Amino acid sequence: MYWLRYLSFLFSSTNQHGVHSPFVYTLVTKGLYKKDKYTSIKSLNTALKLLDYFKISEINLKDQNETFKALITEKFPNIDQDNNSESFIYLDNLSDKNVLFLKELERFNNDTLIYINNINKNYAHWQALITLEKIKVSIDTFHGGILFFRREQVKEHFKIRI
């Protein structure tokens, strides 16, 4: 199933040239395609690039990924790892507990960014999340997923090759 999903992703995804949203185009070209390489783990490298691009000062690690925690401390020592922060929320997977947490969307604001590592472990949960009305922008990078609540933007879903 994993390889079929990967092949499907390759055929249906795009790069920056297929993105028509100015917000997502700028994120892809200046953030996700930035040459900096923080780690060889693709999904964690993407999360670290998001931290850098958005100049995040606090991160909420809902799941304790020790590798990611150590990388944040090493590469971005000024980022506070606060479990109450709502500016950047990191989930290591889409467990039932995490999906319930995300469905409490009323608590998240317009600037909240959620990064979900390894969305393929439970792709059905990812599909359900991106259909929620309050989530306006979703980006599937195959290795991870990014969710935004930008009220000023129309609802769009992107599949971006990184």
Side-chain angles (χ1 to χ4, degrees), residues 38-67:
Y38 298 108
T39 180
S40 61
I41 303 168
K42 209 170 217 182
S43 61
L44 297 183
N45 195 54
T46 300
L48 291 167
K49 285 182 177 185
L50 290 169
L51 290 172
D52 184 30
Y53 177 76
F54 287 107
K55 307 294 183 230
I56 300 296
S57 60
E58 292 180 338
I59 184 169
N60 182 343
L61 298 171
K62 290 304 281 181
D63 297 321
Q64 296 300 318
N65 180 322
E66 295 304 319
T67 304

Side-chain angles (χ1 to χ4, degrees), residues 1 11 37 41 44 48 52 71 74-75 80 93-94 97 100-101 111 121 128 133 136-137 144 148 151:
M1 185 69 179
F11 287 116
K37 187 170 184 177
I41 303 168
L44 297 183
L48 291 167
D52 184 30
L71 284 167
E74 176 188 341
K75 306 291 184 185
D80 183 29
N93 60 53
L94 281 174
K97 179 183 85 170
L100 287 174
F101 166 76
D111 297 323
K121 278 190 177 176
E133 184 61 35
K136 296 296 185 178
V137 177
F148 296 96
R151 287 185 296 273

Side-chain angles (χ1 to χ4, degrees), residues 52-109:
D52 184 30
Y53 177 76
F54 287 107
K55 307 294 183 230
I56 300 296
S57 60
E58 292 180 338
I59 184 169
N60 182 343
L61 298 171
K62 290 304 281 181
D63 297 321
Q64 296 300 318
N65 180 322
E66 295 304 319
T67 304
F68 187 53
K69 205 173 186 180
L71 284 167
I72 293 170
T73 303
E74 176 188 341
K75 306 291 184 185
F76 301 101
N78 295 329
I79 292 180
D80 183 29
Q81 297 178 25
D82 177 11
N83 288 338
N84 294 318
S85 173
E86 292 179 2
S87 59
F88 190 109
I89 298 169
Y90 172 85
L91 300 170
D92 206 40
N93 60 53
L94 281 174
S95 65
D96 291 336
K97 179 183 85 170
N98 285 340
V99 170
L100 287 174
F101 166 76
L102 290 175
K103 288 193 175 183
E104 298 174 9
L105 298 176
E106 304 312 316
R107 57 186 277 177
F108 302 129
N109 62 46

Side-chain angles (χ1 to χ4, degrees), residues 9-24:
F9 175 83
L10 287 177
F11 287 116
S12 62
S13 62
T14 186
N15 58 16
Q16 77 270 17
H17 300 295
V19 175
H20 301 292
S21 163
F23 169 75
V24 176

